[in-house]
Amino acid sequence: MPAVFASAAKTLPKSTLIFDWMDLWSVNARTMGKSALSLQPGGFVQSLWWKHLESKLPDQAIGNAFAGHHDFLSLSKRASGESAWLPTPVRLPAVATKRSTGVIRRIGFLGNMKYPPNVMSLQKFLAEYSDRMKALELELVVAGFGSDIVRSWNTEATVLGPVHDVADFYSSVDAVVVPIDHGGGIKVKAVEALVYGVPVFGTEHVRQGFERAFHPYVGHLDDLMSGALTHPTPVPADVVRNAFSEDSFRAGVKDLLDRTGLSR
């Protein structure tokens, strides 16, 4: 977070610092503020303050790493040192998965429902699309820690609760929805679904976490709800491995350390 980075910059030499931007607090404040009318003024003011701090911090380190690609584009130009897009890695399945190409009837959402941005985003999604899902005969399957809360929302959804094997979840749905409008960085639930070969439909906010070359692999929610039920472009397996595996992440970290000279 910016406060930690600012403290480090005051006490340590620039030549020893790499800042790891998991997300931007200015984006978090702005998007969380949009969740309720009463929160918008405070969210707007906080967002401006964090944005002011964030604009100065990248140049106070010899290197910067960004999980979200839009964050990388926004702040790397403010840094005189090295920068890298290092998306959060996920564990690849032991057995290669085959991307679904059949008719989409069962859509899934897997996330930690103890995390407020997930709750806010899913509630907004249901408020906007529940009638459309019923008309299209789409079944929504919700799983993850704390997902039992969805049972109290008086909505039609199959709630699985915590899952012990994410492979079982992804094999049980035809597509995954990532209706996240809150928070920043890259959405791991979207990355994980791509890795498991499941079609992904998300918001523009979700797409911004990825490099533009990956946008064709993440469909728009409106396209899914239009009734066409077509699939996004399939992701080649080697593209997934090269971008989101633990090995690719380690290689990216090593490259950044090499470029900054800190690998010595």
Side-chain angles (χ1 to χ4, degrees):
M1 59 184 293
V4 174
F5 293 169
S7 177
K10 289 179 180 178
T11 57
L12 296 170
K14 175 179 178 177
S15 60
T16 65
L17 291 175
I18 291 180
F19 292 153
D20 182 15
W21 301 82
M22 294 300 297
D23 52 25
L24 300 188
W25 278 55
S26 60
V27 176
N28 291 340
R30 174 171 50 80
T31 57
M32 291 291 283
K34 287 183 178 180
S35 63
L37 186 62
S38 61
L39 298 177
Q40 289 180 8
F44 178 74
V45 171
Q46 286 187 44
S47 179
L48 288 178
W49 173 244
W50 288 122
K51 190 171 184 178
H52 170 71
L53 291 180
E54 291 164 354
S55 68
K56 298 177 177 298
L57 286 169
D59 198 42
Q60 296 185 36
I62 196 173
N64 290 270
F66 301 89
H69 196 264
H70 185 266
D71 303 343
F72 165 71
L73 294 178
S74 298
L75 290 189
S76 61
K77 59 189 177 184
R78 299 182 179 275
S80 57
E82 300 292 338
S83 297
W85 177 49
L86 294 177
T88 305
V90 297
R91 187 180 299 275
L92 300 181
V95 179
T97 54
K98 182 179 180 181
R99 189 177 178 91
S100 171
T101 56
V103 177
I104 298 174
R105 290 300 177 206
R106 204 167 194 248
I107 58 177
F109 176 88
L110 175 60
N112 177 8
M113 297 303 286
K114 295 291 186 179
Y115 182 54
N118 285 341
V119 174
M120 294 175 182
S121 296
L122 187 58
Q123 287 179 323
K124 179 183 177 182
F125 170 76
L126 289 169
E128 186 172 354
Y129 291 118
S130 58
D131 289 342
R132 189 60 183 157
M133 284 191 295
K134 186 180 296 185
L136 292 172
E137 298 182 339
L138 291 175
E139 177 189 4
L140 175 64
V141 181
V142 182
F145 183 66
S147 58
D148 287 341
I149 191 177
V150 179
R151 301 184 197 276
S152 65
W153 291 357
N154 193 30
T155 187
E156 293 186 14
T158 301
V159 179
L160 301 182
V163 294
H164 301 290
D165 188 345
V166 294
D168 291 340
F169 171 79
Y170 289 117
S171 65
S172 71
V173 297
D174 302 317
V176 163
V177 291
V178 189
I180 306 300
D181 278 319
H182 307 293
I186 194 168
K187 306 310 171 190
V188 177
K189 54 181 64 64
V191 175
E192 193 172 64
L194 291 177
V195 165
Y196 277 86
V198 182
V200 179
F201 294 87
T203 61
E204 187 59 31
H205 184 64
V206 170
R207 291 160 63 90
Q208 285 183 352
F210 293 88
E211 188 177 17
R212 183 166 294 277
F214 289 88
H215 288 194
Y217 307 138
V218 181
H220 289 279
L221 286 174
D222 287 341
D223 292 341
L224 175 65
M225 296 300 164
S226 69
L229 304 182
T230 55
H231 295 70
T233 303
V235 188
D238 60 331
V239 171
V240 169
R241 287 194 301 272
N242 291 337
F244 306 120
S245 69
E246 294 173 346
D247 286 344
S248 67
F249 180 79
R250 282 192 290 267
V253 171
K254 182 180 183 304
D255 176 68
L256 181 58
L257 291 173
D258 288 344
R259 286 190 282 128
T260 59
L262 291 178
S263 59
R264 297 191 299 270

